[in-house]
Amino acid sequence: MSFLIRQTLIYAVPLMIVALAGIFAERSGVINLALEGIMIFGAFIGVLCVRILQVTPVFEAAKAAGSFWGLQGLMFLAMFAAALMGSIFSLLLAFAAINLRADQTIGGTALNLMAPALVLFLVRMIANQNTLQMASGDSASYFMLKKSHLGYGRTEEMGFLGDTFLNKVYLATYFCILVYVILSIILYKTKFGLRLRACGENPQAADSLGINVYKMRYSGVLISGALAGMGGFVYAMTTANCSSNGDVAGFGFLALAVMIFGNWKPLNVAGAATLFGLFKCVAASYSSLDINGDGVYLLKELNINPNFYRLLPYLITLIVLAFTSKSSRAPKAEGIPYDKSTR
């Protein structure tokens, strides 16, 4: 059970943070279909940052000394770089949607097509292969929190809670949850959040009250890009051994489905992300999943074609959207370019 919860969090948290990215953009009135592309770009920037910083004297010394907390500094620097460049990459969508008043769906699709091509080109230039990896070692040895870091011996027991939430986990997971909570509060409990949501519901009314609609929409898209970039790197670090190959397994599109299923509300989105994360966990580790701890791998013994488990998260996505999309209420001005001269 501990393994199931840990793995579900690993898959659910990137979905949560990227779905929140979609909420910020769409609550401001801009459809951000480019979440997949921004995730891909953020993953590449984060992995590249890790690769470069690994060979610096500071982090070489931290690794040699086995300094876990020193290595976490490397991870947080990479997360910051991924968020920053994801935000910059999202400016392409913001400029096209807000200044040029271009079709936002087409703009997002264009970024989704451009990102993997650009990343693969840069990876080939840097590494002369199709995958960019860490300079040395693996993600778990550098960034994973283990019970030995907390003073426990290899054979010592930590209890259910300790083994579930403190052993073989990534601090990035908990950092993303903290960011998720803080930004959700900002969106619904602050003046900035109220103004942002007003621009997605009735930008003309917001403008009449002195709110700069263009500025608020830029803010929404930039925050969205930062969260998607960070989510892309966290996904790559926790599930792909800190590597980048121009692919994030459709997590950006899954995040859009989670956002719609959650009705553009952070609390609902967190529950939806946990549900999809669970099915993604089952798809990735069904053959080694011992739910009751009794040594019986039930899903493996069912002898179902492995492709069914891989299909399951996306199948569940389609089924859930088919039943919930009609009752979902998107922001009223979502996708509509703002024209100051119209009322």
Side-chain angles (χ1 to χ4, degrees):
M1 184 59 72
S2 292
F3 173 79
L4 180 63
I5 295 173
R6 284 199 306 266
Q7 291 300 113
T8 297
L9 281 176
I10 282 177
Y11 288 108
V13 167
L15 277 178
M16 282 172 53
I17 205 75
V18 179
L20 184 64
I23 290 176
F24 264 90
E26 300 200 9
R27 282 292 183 186
S28 72
V30 178
I31 298 175
N32 190 356
L33 288 184
L35 294 177
E36 177 89 359
I38 299 172
M39 280 187 74
I40 290 171
F41 191 66
F44 165 74
I45 293 296
V47 173
L48 179 62
C49 186
V50 168
R51 183 184 175 96
I52 292 172
L53 291 176
Q54 267 187 297
V55 297
T56 60
V58 173
F59 291 108
E60 281 188 337
K63 179 60 178 174
S67 173
F68 172 76
W69 300 108
L71 294 174
Q72 293 308 297
L74 169 61
M75 179 195 71
F76 283 116
L77 282 173
M79 286 180 68
F80 175 76
L84 177 63
M85 294 307 294
S87 188
I88 292 173
F89 190 68
S90 69
L91 278 173
L92 294 170
L93 174 64
F95 180 74
I98 299 169
N99 294 85
L100 303 181
R101 299 176 190 171
D103 187 290
Q104 297 167 14
T105 302
I106 294 175
T109 303
L111 290 186
N112 283 335
L113 293 173
M114 185 177 77
L118 176 62
V119 165
L120 282 173
F121 171 74
L122 293 174
V123 168
R124 291 285 295 179
M125 290 287 291
I126 295 168
N128 198 28
Q129 57 185 13
N130 292 329
T131 303
L132 185 69
Q133 298 174 326
M134 299 172 64
S136 62
D138 57 80
S139 181
S141 64
Y142 266 81
F143 308 123
M144 183 180 280
L145 176 64
K146 301 172 184 174
K147 60 182 179 181
S148 59
H149 297 130
L150 302 174
Y152 286 85
R154 181 173 296 180
T155 58
E156 289 185 80
E157 296 291 333
M158 296 183 68
F160 175 76
L161 292 178
D163 193 47
T164 302
F165 299 108
L166 295 176
N167 185 31
K168 296 181 180 179
V169 298
Y170 292 89
L171 285 186
T173 299
Y174 298 120
F175 178 76
C176 285
I177 293 175
L178 178 63
V179 169
Y180 186 89
V181 172
I182 291 173
L183 288 179
S184 298
I185 293 172
I186 289 174
L187 185 61
Y188 278 91
K189 300 297 182 181
T190 66
K191 184 186 294 185
F192 170 80
L194 178 61
R195 291 179 173 181
L196 185 81
R197 288 183 287 120
C199 292
E201 293 292 338
N202 194 329
Q204 283 79 16
D207 191 16
S208 70
L209 295 173
I211 298 172
N212 189 325
V213 176
Y214 299 118
K215 181 179 177 181
M216 296 309 297
R217 288 191 168 183
Y218 260 101
S219 298
V221 176
L222 287 174
I223 294 172
S224 177
L227 290 174
M230 183 171 69
F233 171 64
V234 171
Y235 170 81
M237 179 180 64
T238 56
T239 66
N241 195 26
C242 205
S243 64
S244 172
N245 62 354
D247 180 38
V248 289
F251 257 57
F253 298 115
L254 272 177
L256 285 171
V258 166
M259 178 188 68
I260 297 169
F261 178 35
N263 205 17
W264 289 266
K265 296 179 180 178
L267 189 60
N268 294 349
V269 163
T274 303
L275 174 66
F276 288 120
L278 174 62
F279 285 109
K280 192 70 178 176
C281 170
V282 170
S285 55
Y286 71 94
S287 62
S288 59
L289 200 57
D290 181 6
I291 299 174
N292 299 322
D294 55 4
V296 177
Y297 302 106
L298 178 61
L299 296 180
K300 182 180 179 181
E301 293 183 358
L302 291 176
N303 291 323
I304 297 176
N305 191 309
N307 291 317
F308 172 77
Y309 293 112
R310 300 188 185 102
L311 175 68
L312 200 56
Y314 308 100
L315 181 62
I316 295 297
T317 300
L318 291 174
I319 293 173
V320 167
L321 286 179
F323 284 98
T324 62
S325 59
K326 287 185 179 180
S327 60
S328 296
R329 181 192 172 279
K332 289 182 180 178
E334 175 193 56
I336 302 173
Y338 176 61
D339 186 352
K340 198 175 181 71
S341 64
T342 61
R343 284 289 182 267

